[in-house]
Amino acid sequence: MQSSEILPHLFRNEYTKIVSVLSKHIGFERLEIAEEIASETFLTATEAWGIKGNPENPTAWLYAVAKNKAKNYLQRNSVFKNKILPELTKSQSESLESEIDLSPENIYDSQLRMMFVVCHPSISSEAQVGLSLRILCGFGIEEIADAFLTNKETINKRLFRAKEKLREEKITIQLPAPEEIEDRLDSVLSTIYLLFNEGYHSISQNKTLRKDLCLEAIRLCSMLVENQITDKPKVYALLSLMCFHTSRFEARQDQNGEQILYQDQDTALWNYDLIKKGEIFLTKATGGTKLTKYHLEAGIAYWHTQKEDTKEKWENILQLYNRLLQLQYSPIAALNRTYALSKANEKEEAIIEAEKLNLKENHFYFALLGELYLDIDNSKSEENFRKAYSLAKTSHDKISIQKKIDQFPK
Amino acid sequence: MDEYLILMRLDLITKDAQPSPEQMQVYMKMYQDWVGGIAAQNKFVGGTGLSTEGKVIKSGQIITDGPFAETKESIAGFITIKAENFEEATNIAKECPILNGPGNSVEVRKVVGVDKTR
């Protein structure tokens, strides 16, 4: 690999590791310094590798340079000299050299701790996702802006305010105490899930970016199951859910970026490796006593990996939606539940239930009614698809609804 | 929106009235579909089924087994829902599948704070 190719490849992974380790060492309140040192390290690498060619072990090279830069910074820094160093020498006789530890264990440990810092409940969930993308996943500001369909300034401001807030709250880079772990883990999991959804359901046109978001969410969640403190059943459930969903990633869109409906997907494009993994994680998710929405959603996603349109499949999906809605209402779950009802019970029953949902602003609601009335009352079906069309917001949605309308004789 | 309690009463003691495991499965599906439909309208607040085990404590610290000393109608479960008014709550309760069983009943009560009970 040329240096021009290898650096961007290394950047995403190694940048976040360096930032996490340095922050753990010099404190979250100096996160910017850690970010700056990491950025400078890559800048130095671009220059040096461009002239001398790639080093034998690029990662080790990066760590060595980052370590040196950090040491230089710390020695130059007066706060450190006057306040922290005396403390450090008091508490431990180790030299500064051994302090900055870029061993795989410490990197893992630092990233795990950092995950709990950036997912702290004191900042908004949007900011949690943004900070995770930046600090844990190494995404550029532009990429984050693209994922959120906004501009760089907004993201910069949002991240800046979030970091300020964490500083004010004096959040330390530590894993929460055992009695706190359950609650704090919930906010970490919901951030990971939001991050995942940002990739899976985003309307951003950048497919590579969206897939990366999904894979990063899976990577973060995998880190949690690798640790004894955080390898809870609900974490496995979320991981399983994300594997099942991601397995269909390639099949969900055609070349033009148009959505392909579930029943029309080419199953050859499904990733059976991920489905297998999802099944293993789902088994591990059954250990606990508490059924979470991740368990139920993972169950639903599991049944969607079974392509055969059996009564059993839809009955299972229906029951999982019944319970999911009792746990937490969402309009999308309500609509999906009604569709499952039409498959498991009768279309006529589903129509009665659908009319009760009363989601009159939602184009999916009318699309569902259009679907349910099809072959029962085609004029009502068309009428509902037309309402759906008038409410649809994106051109992609409009195109796929127009196709439905076109099937009716003029 | 107000909250309403729906109490479901069944014969839990007469042997003939007890469903077979297969029937039970059918009933559970009907029940879950009913509650799921309420939840899909964002009108489910909470609730659960109850086991047949129970203790009744009467004035004078008299404790007896079972909630069903004198009646064949004992409370099998309850749910709390959100509804605009009594009429809507009653309409939802009317669709409760346990009403398919003869002798069963469902009671709808408006939930009010303790200070407003009178």
Side-chain angles (χ1 to χ4, degrees), chain A residues 315 318-319 321-323 325-327 329-330 334 337-338 341 344-345 349 353 356-357 359, chain B residues 28-47 92 95:
Chain A
E315 179 54 34
L318 171 64
Q319 292 313 329
Y321 271 121
N322 280 340
R323 298 176 77 171
L325 282 158
Q326 290 171 46
L327 217 56
Y329 169 82
S330 85
R337 182 245 173 209
T338 313
L341 188 76
N345 295 6
E349 188 187 336
E353 288 285 297
K356 290 183 194 163
L357 299 182
L359 296 164
Chain B
M28 279 320 291
K29 170 177 165 54
M30 290 166 81
Y31 176 76
Q32 279 299 330
D33 286 356
W34 175 62
V35 181
I38 297 169
Q41 299 171 59
N42 200 13
K43 287 177 179 161
F44 177 82
V45 180
I92 289 172
E95 289 174 27

Side-chain angles (χ1 to χ4, degrees), chain A residues 165-287:
Chain A
K165 179 81 186 157
L166 291 174
R167 235 191 303 270
E168 281 166 27
E169 299 274 326
K170 298 198 167 52
I171 309 299
T172 53
I173 305 187
Q174 270 171 348
L175 285 183
E179 65 272 14
E180 243 182 90
I181 204 97
E182 277 291 321
D183 281 350
R184 288 288 301 279
L185 194 53
D186 283 344
S187 91
V188 173
L189 293 184
S190 68
T191 302
I192 293 177
Y193 196 28
L194 279 175
L195 178 67
F196 180 83
N197 282 333
E198 207 55 61
Y200 203 69
H201 298 294
S202 165
I203 43 175
S204 156
Q205 290 309 299
N206 188 340
K207 190 176 169 184
T208 323
L209 167 67
R210 287 191 291 110
K211 193 169 185 188
D212 279 358
L213 289 174
C214 292
L215 295 176
E216 277 300 320
I218 290 178
R219 183 182 69 87
L220 295 179
C221 203
S222 304
M223 284 183 68
L224 292 174
V225 301
E226 281 161 23
N227 190 294
Q228 278 183 359
I229 305 167
T230 51
D231 69 344
K232 310 274 181 195
K234 61 186 169 191
V235 183
Y236 277 110
L238 174 60
L239 187 53
S240 151
L241 155 67
M242 295 192 295
C243 287
F244 286 138
H245 275 322
T246 310
S247 73
R248 292 198 305 278
F249 197 94
E250 298 297 333
R252 289 169 68 240
Q253 248 182 4
D254 65 12
Q255 269 88 353
N256 311 318
E258 230 178 273
Q259 286 274 41
I260 303 171
L261 291 175
Y262 173 69
Q263 58 264 35
D264 304 328
Q265 286 176 11
D266 177 4
T267 49
L269 292 173
W270 288 4
N271 183 329
Y272 290 91
D273 226 28
L274 276 174
I275 293 178
K276 197 95 227 128
K277 280 192 182 136
E279 286 172 7
I280 294 168
F281 295 139
L282 189 57
T283 317
K284 296 201 174 194
T286 54

Side-chain angles (χ1 to χ4, degrees), chain A residues 71-89:
Chain A
K71 265 195 299 183
N72 288 342
Y73 164 78
L74 289 171
Q75 270 153 2
R76 266 183 281 121
N77 187 282
S78 64
V79 179
F80 179 79
K81 257 189 206 158
N82 303 330
K83 293 190 176 152
I84 300 174
L85 198 58
E87 285 298 316
L88 275 181
T89 36

Side-chain angles (χ1 to χ4, degrees), chain A residues 302-339:
Chain A
Y302 163 77
W303 280 104
H304 277 90
T305 64
Q306 310 295 304
K307 183 69 179 176
E308 284 77 42
D309 219 20
T310 61
K311 204 91 178 160
E312 186 205 4
K313 165 179 167 173
W314 289 105
E315 179 54 34
N316 276 296
I317 293 175
L318 171 64
Q319 292 313 329
L320 289 161
Y321 271 121
N322 280 340
R323 298 176 77 171
L324 180 64
L325 282 158
Q326 290 171 46
L327 217 56
Q328 190 179 61
Y329 169 82
S330 85
I332 290 295
L335 291 166
N336 288 338
R337 182 245 173 209
T338 313
Y339 180 74

